[in-house]
């Protein structure tokens, strides 16, 4: 089925959406989507993208909670799989932008208060900032510049990821991205594209992708 032309468009967002649905299933009487390998045996990309479901699940948790606090953090820190735990916090970071839109003081405070998980939260937040403002690249840079030091570096990682994910949605998206971004945004985007390609196609793709973006941003900020 995945060989059908056009079916891979928005592939990343589909898996994020499946995870969001499972977050909905925590509160409403709808059937949960299984994450068992056997359920997805007809979908070759599942090993590569399955952790995106945890990302979507984290987004749903934060959205229905209406925020993020220490109690939720402590509960999520009990997730044994570190890869899944990181992905959930990426999703929490994404939803923070929607919950505190343009309230930069609140967002900086949240990152400060949760310094032990600031990195995945900031990556998710940077992704949301860039993804929702992809048509106004200058606004992305203005928003990220409000944040200090280490926060901004991780936000930049997220912004690069957002641009890369948006560009891979379909050929028209890629054309629009690559003709509209320059400077820092182009550097972050190119780094995320290389990370995605170098991370492979197996079940370690998600953590390796994020590790490679981490290394890349560290190199260019030294």
């Amino acid at each position: 089925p995945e060989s059908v032309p056009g079916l891979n468009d928005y592939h990343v967002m589909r898996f994020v959406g499946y995870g969001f649905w499972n977050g909905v299933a925590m509160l409403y009487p709808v059937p949960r989507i299984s994450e068992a390998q056997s359920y997805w045996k007809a979908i070759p990309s599942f090993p590569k993208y399955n952790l995106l479901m945890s990302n979507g699940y984290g987004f749903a948790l934060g959205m229905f909670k209406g925020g993020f606090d220490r109690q939720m953090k402590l509960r999520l820190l009990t997730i044994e799989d570190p890869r899944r735990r990181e992905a959930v916090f990426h999703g929490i970071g994404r939803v923070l932008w929607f919950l505190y839109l343009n309230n930069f003081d609140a967002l900086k405070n949240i990152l400060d208060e949760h310094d032990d998980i600031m990195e995945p939260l900031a990556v998710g937040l940077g992704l949301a900032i860039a993804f929702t403002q992809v048509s106004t690249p200058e606004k992305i840079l203005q928003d990220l510049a409000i944040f200090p030091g280490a926060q901004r570096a991780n936000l930049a990682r997220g912004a690069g990821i957002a641009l890369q994910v948006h560009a891979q949605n379909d050929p028209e998206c890629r054309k629009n991205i690559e003709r509209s971004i320059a400077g820092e945004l182009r550097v972050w985007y190119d780094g995320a594209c290389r990370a995605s390609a170098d991370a492979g196609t197996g079940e370690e793709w998600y953590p390796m992708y994020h590790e490679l973006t981490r290394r890349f941003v560290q190199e260019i900020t030294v």
Side-chain angles (χ1 to χ4, degrees), residues 8-81:
N8 286 330
D9 293 353
Y10 299 87
H11 211 159
V12 166
M13 300 312 298
R14 292 183 190 201
F15 277 92
V16 171
Y18 302 147
F20 179 87
W21 177 265
N22 281 347
V24 173
M26 294 286 290
L27 294 174
Y28 296 96
V30 295
R32 187 178 182 279
I33 301 173
S34 173
E35 295 183 46
Q37 290 275 0
S38 58
Y39 181 81
W40 296 88
K41 60 184 178 182
I43 308 298
S45 62
F46 175 73
K48 176 178 180 179
Y49 290 130
N50 77 90
L51 286 172
L52 289 166
M53 293 178 68
S54 295
N55 186 310
Y57 176 76
F59 185 100
L61 286 182
M63 187 186 78
F64 288 114
K65 172 73 173 179
F68 179 67
D69 55 24
R70 185 174 180 273
Q71 183 179 9
M72 180 183 288
K73 178 177 74 173
L74 292 176
R75 179 159 60 90
L76 295 178
L77 286 173
T78 65
I79 298 173
E80 293 185 4
D81 185 342

Side-chain angles (χ1 to χ4, degrees), residues 14-215:
R14 292 183 190 201
F15 277 92
V16 171
Y18 302 147
F20 179 87
W21 177 265
N22 281 347
V24 173
M26 294 286 290
L27 294 174
Y28 296 96
V30 295
R32 187 178 182 279
I33 301 173
S34 173
E35 295 183 46
Q37 290 275 0
S38 58
Y39 181 81
W40 296 88
K41 60 184 178 182
I43 308 298
S45 62
F46 175 73
K48 176 178 180 179
Y49 290 130
N50 77 90
L51 286 172
L52 289 166
M53 293 178 68
S54 295
N55 186 310
Y57 176 76
F59 185 100
L61 286 182
M63 187 186 78
F64 288 114
K65 172 73 173 179
F68 179 67
D69 55 24
R70 185 174 180 273
Q71 183 179 9
M72 180 183 288
K73 178 177 74 173
L74 292 176
R75 179 159 60 90
L76 295 178
L77 286 173
T78 65
I79 298 173
E80 293 185 4
D81 185 342
R83 304 170 309 160
R84 190 171 301 280
R85 186 169 63 242
E86 180 183 51
V88 171
F89 282 129
H90 286 151
I92 293 289
R94 287 193 303 114
V95 81
L96 290 176
W97 179 240
F98 296 89
L99 295 173
Y100 300 93
L101 188 65
N102 291 320
N103 187 343
F104 295 103
D105 286 338
L107 290 167
K108 285 188 289 185
N109 286 339
I110 290 171
L111 295 181
D112 283 337
E113 290 169 8
H114 301 284
D115 185 64
D116 53 331
I117 54 165
M118 181 274 290
E119 180 179 328
L121 292 181
V123 169
L125 175 59
L127 193 155
I129 289 173
F131 206 89
T132 56
Q133 302 182 105
V134 70
S135 63
T136 53
E138 67 283 355
K139 185 65 168 59
I140 298 172
L141 289 172
Q142 290 171 9
D143 288 352
L144 267 58
I146 295 171
F147 294 83
Q151 291 183 5
R152 184 176 184 274
N154 287 300
L155 290 160
R157 286 174 55 199
I161 291 168
L163 296 171
Q164 183 264 319
V165 169
H166 189 77
Q168 79 173 45
N169 280 335
D170 61 48
E172 186 65 23
C173 288
R174 180 177 296 276
K175 182 171 69 174
N176 290 337
I177 286 289
E178 295 188 350
R179 72 184 178 191
S180 67
I181 60 173
E184 283 185 279
L185 286 178
R186 183 67 194 220
V187 171
W188 301 338
Y189 166 74
D190 287 342
C193 288
R194 288 197 297 273
S196 181
D198 292 346
T201 59
E203 62 181 10
E204 290 302 314
W205 174 82
Y206 189 96
M208 180 55 67
Y209 176 37
H210 284 280
E211 174 59 26
L212 290 173
T213 63
R214 179 185 298 109
R215 296 176 191 175

